[in-house]
Amino acid sequence: MKLKTTGLTDFIDGNKIWETVNSTTRTEAAHVHDILDKALEAKGLSLDDTARLLQVEDPELSEALFETARKVKQTIYGNRLVLFAPLYITNECFNRCAYCGFKDTNKELLRRTLSADNIRQEVSVLEKQGHKRLLLVYGEHPKFGADWIADTVRTVYDTVSDKSGEIRRVNINCAPLDVEGFRKLHEVGIGTYQCFQETYHRETYAELHPVGHKKNYLWRLHAMHRAMEAGIDDVGMGTLLGLYDYRFDTIALLSHAAELESKFGVGPHTLSFPRLEPALNSEMAYNPPYPISDARFKRLVAVLRLSVPYTGLILSTRENRQMRRELLDLGISQLSAGSRTYPGAYSDPDYDRPDVQQFCIGDNRNLEEVIREIVEHGYVPSWCTACYRAGRTGEHFMELAKKGFIQEFCHPNALLTFKEYLLDYAQAGTRDMGNALISNELKGFAAKRKNVVADRLVRIEHGERDLYL
Ligand code: SAM
Ligand code: SF4
């Protein structure tokens, strides 16, 4: 693939971002409270207000920030939480990202690419655990073009196990393609196309990505433009925390989101903000140049929740159990569970494989253990894929979301998919807990909605599957 970057502009103005960050270091407490009051209206925040909140360090103001984020999260998303698992397809890569175990110079890493049969085997294992949404992850190698990626997606969708076992939404995290390549992914029905800029600081980016396609900053920066041009409505963006100053990268990420909104009428469907994790033969992954503390990380999640209230926030198993639990209340709307980070991992009895994996994970629990904890914490796990299958994506989704649609549709759909999980995959104890939660949730619905949902729950008990509103 030839990377065409002539005419592409760098719409991230680094000097302006630093000006915003530097001019907001001292913000009076009263001003912070004003911003938090504004944030409660759930209309989002300007970059300046977002930068001011990112500078909050004071414990009392931090608590006020958390309280506001909890309220906004509760109002828009309620207590539902979407679950997914990553599925690594290949760890072969010709790039040399300084922080990644898959970089080409890591000669100790065992390279693996799943065949169609391997994919079917992995998908069956995940389906038998109850997963319905997968994120396929790929290293970048000239051997693997858009046609090959599209084939792997088809293989996943075509793998159907017993009970209700089928994957209903395949999201993708692969290196940026050209418009034609993205069109191929769109045609095979991918959900979200996800790609992280890692850092928007150009000098740092250049240092960390010395060779391969990823060296080309502008090609990556315009990946979402090309994906949207190819018809992919839902895109997921992110930065890798620890590479550069998190305030700079967060404001840059939000500027990138604003650029998409102004060009295509809709910003990203999701944001991710992974922190660097240890990876084989990557000194930087063990000792990040800009480490971000747990306290700052929590504040960052709360600020993002207020800055872009309708954008999904994703948390991966890079974070440990305690951290994941705290972040749910502050704004996370999608969570990976039971994850492993190398190709073939789900068919492998051993989960600690530094010789093949991309990085170490912080939460090794299986899906059911995660679900039990979520339920104990009052959350409803959801595998809902209704919007994407009903064409409610991109701008259309955002419009509906702003009208309170998430509570009206997503919440009932969460209960319906959870019921399927309980019947098909859960152990008895989890099933009892889950059924109690569903009964309790139903009490909060208006009579008409309650009847519709209760009727569908009964139909699911009688064997119907994949019912949604
Ligand atoms: N190869 C493609 C790319 O780089 O865009 C997609 C797959 S790559 C495995 C997915 C993401 O993993 C990267 O965008 C990067 O943010 C993240 N990543 C790489 N090394 C990591 C590490 N040591 N800790 C945490 N995340 C890491
Ligand atoms: Fe390859 Fe992606 Fe890892 Fe970079 S982050 S080495 S491109 S897999």
Side-chain angles (χ1 to χ4, degrees):
M1 181 175 58
K2 183 121 180 46
L3 313 189
K4 290 198 205 111
T5 51
T6 32
L8 297 186
T9 52
D10 184 358
F11 48 83
I12 302 293
D13 183 341
N15 290 334
K16 203 162 148 208
I17 290 171
W18 265 126
E19 255 171 49
T20 309
V21 171
N22 289 332
S23 67
T24 52
T25 45
R26 283 171 208 280
T27 304
E28 297 290 322
H31 192 165
V32 171
H33 283 291
D34 286 346
I35 299 171
L36 294 178
D37 286 345
K38 205 187 304 174
L40 269 182
E41 293 168 23
K43 292 186 179 143
L45 294 175
S46 66
L47 292 181
D48 187 81
D49 284 347
T50 304
R52 286 180 195 283
L53 292 188
L54 283 174
Q55 310 279 11
V56 165
E57 299 270 345
D58 170 82
E60 269 176 42
L61 287 180
S62 299
E63 201 31 64
L65 166 66
F66 293 152
E67 201 38 47
T68 313
R70 282 186 203 109
K71 282 187 189 149
V72 168
K73 155 100 203 265
Q74 183 58 30
T75 314
I76 298 176
Y77 298 87
N79 58 347
R80 114 197 186 289
L81 197 59
V82 171
L83 296 179
F84 71 97
L87 172 59
Y88 280 68
I89 303 291
T90 178
N91 64 7
E92 293 189 69
C93 193
F94 81 148
N95 291 316
R96 200 171 295 163
C97 310
Y99 42 80
C100 180
F102 293 172
K103 64 177 170 233
D104 70 336
T105 47
N106 189 0
K107 299 297 176 208
E108 281 179 81
L109 191 87
L110 290 178
R111 301 289 168 171
R112 276 190 191 169
T113 295
L114 300 187
S115 65
D117 274 349
N118 298 151
I119 293 176
R120 283 189 274 274
Q121 196 180 346
E122 290 279 276
V123 172
S124 298
V125 174
L126 289 162
E127 285 176 347
K128 284 175 185 145
Q129 292 170 7
H131 280 290
K132 296 280 180 278
R133 304 168 63 107
L134 298 184
L135 171 69
L136 306 193
V137 184
Y138 306 77
E140 181 175 19
H141 200 281
K143 295 195 279 194
F144 309 127
D147 288 311
W148 178 81
I149 297 177
D151 277 346
T152 62
V153 174
R154 253 187 237 110
T155 305
V156 173
Y157 276 132
D158 289 347
T159 305
V160 178
S161 306
D162 54 354
K163 300 185 189 161
S164 56
E166 81 264 336
I167 297 304
R168 297 176 186 161
R169 180 170 173 131
V170 174
N171 298 330
I172 292 271
N173 186 327
C174 69
L177 302 171
D178 54 17
V179 176
E180 197 197 327
F182 279 127
R183 227 171 251 133
K184 289 177 182 166
L185 295 191
H186 184 47
E187 277 160 20
V188 290
I190 67 159
T192 307
Y193 169 65
Q194 191 184 68
C195 178
F196 308 150
Q197 191 63 27
E198 321 297 10
T199 176
Y200 290 86
H201 187 252
R202 286 200 69 158
E203 289 78 25
T204 307
Y205 187 93
E207 255 171 56
L208 303 182
H209 308 101
V211 300
H213 284 168
K214 199 156 165 182
K215 180 179 175 181
N216 195 322
Y217 176 90
L218 282 181
W219 176 252
R220 196 167 180 91
L221 188 66
H222 283 258
M224 298 314 178
H225 289 65
R226 294 193 298 279
M228 286 184 155
E229 211 183 308
I232 298 172
D233 281 345
D234 288 350
V235 297
M237 308 193 322
T239 58
L240 182 55
L241 296 170
L243 302 181
Y244 191 60
D245 187 294
Y246 76 102
R247 297 165 306 172
F248 178 95
D249 272 332
T250 304
I251 298 301
L253 177 67
L254 294 168
S255 312
H256 190 172
E259 153 81 12
L260 291 183
E261 189 147 7
S262 77
K263 277 242 155 64
F264 298 95
V266 63
H269 187 62
T270 53
L271 293 182
S272 303
F273 25 85
R275 288 197 282 188
L276 265 182
E277 288 294 327
L280 182 68
N281 287 331
S282 167
E283 165 56 23
M284 165 174 270
Y286 284 92
N287 294 302
Y290 290 83
I292 170 164
S293 67
D294 286 355
R296 284 197 170 147
F297 188 59
K298 273 166 56 181
R299 286 198 293 267
L300 170 63
V301 172
V303 172
L304 286 174
R305 182 67 299 142
L306 301 180
S307 184
V308 283
Y310 295 97
T311 304
L313 298 185
I314 301 186
L315 194 67
S316 75
T317 35
R318 291 175 181 86
E319 296 301 329
N320 67 30
R321 180 178 181 175
Q322 168 70 20
M323 198 61 187
R324 276 154 63 89
R325 193 173 167 146
E326 288 181 39
L327 294 172
L328 295 187
D329 296 344
L330 296 179
I332 298 301
S333 54
Q334 293 193 26
L335 193 69
S336 59
S339 309
R340 309 235 186 135
T341 64
Y342 62 93
Y346 298 105
S347 319
D348 186 345
D350 194 5
Y351 61 75
D352 190 19
R353 293 290 307 274
D355 55 332
V356 249
Q357 73 195 11
Q358 189 193 12
F359 51 79
C360 305
I361 50 180
D363 182 353
N364 282 314
R365 292 171 300 156
N366 65 31
L367 176 64
E368 181 144 9
E369 288 170 311
V370 173
I371 287 172
R372 270 204 297 270
E373 185 177 77
I374 290 172
V375 171
E376 268 166 21
H377 202 47
Y379 280 94
V380 180
S382 174
W383 290 266
C384 180
T385 52
C387 282
Y388 140 79
R389 286 147 88 217
R392 300 187 296 242
T393 56
E395 195 175 357
H396 188 197
F397 172 82
M398 282 298 170
E399 250 170 50
L400 293 167
K402 287 176 186 167
K403 291 180 186 147
F405 163 95
I406 293 183
Q407 291 286 33
E408 185 72 7
F409 285 83
C410 304
H411 193 55
N413 285 336
L415 296 182
L416 298 177
T417 54
F418 187 33
K419 183 73 182 176
E420 282 188 13
Y421 173 83
L422 294 173
L423 288 167
D424 292 344
Y425 306 103
Q427 291 170 15
T430 314
R431 194 173 306 140
D432 293 343
M433 274 168 80
N435 281 329
L437 178 69
I438 292 176
S439 306
N440 203 35
E441 292 295 310
L442 272 181
K443 288 183 198 148
F445 284 25
K448 207 167 147 204
R449 212 20 147 211
K450 188 174 174 168
N451 290 340
V452 173
V453 179
D455 171 63
R456 290 187 188 211
L457 287 168
V458 171
R459 283 168 58 192
I460 291 171
E461 272 177 11
H462 290 159
E464 281 188 68
R465 291 290 175 269
D466 203 11
L467 301 176
Y468 53 84
L469 307 183

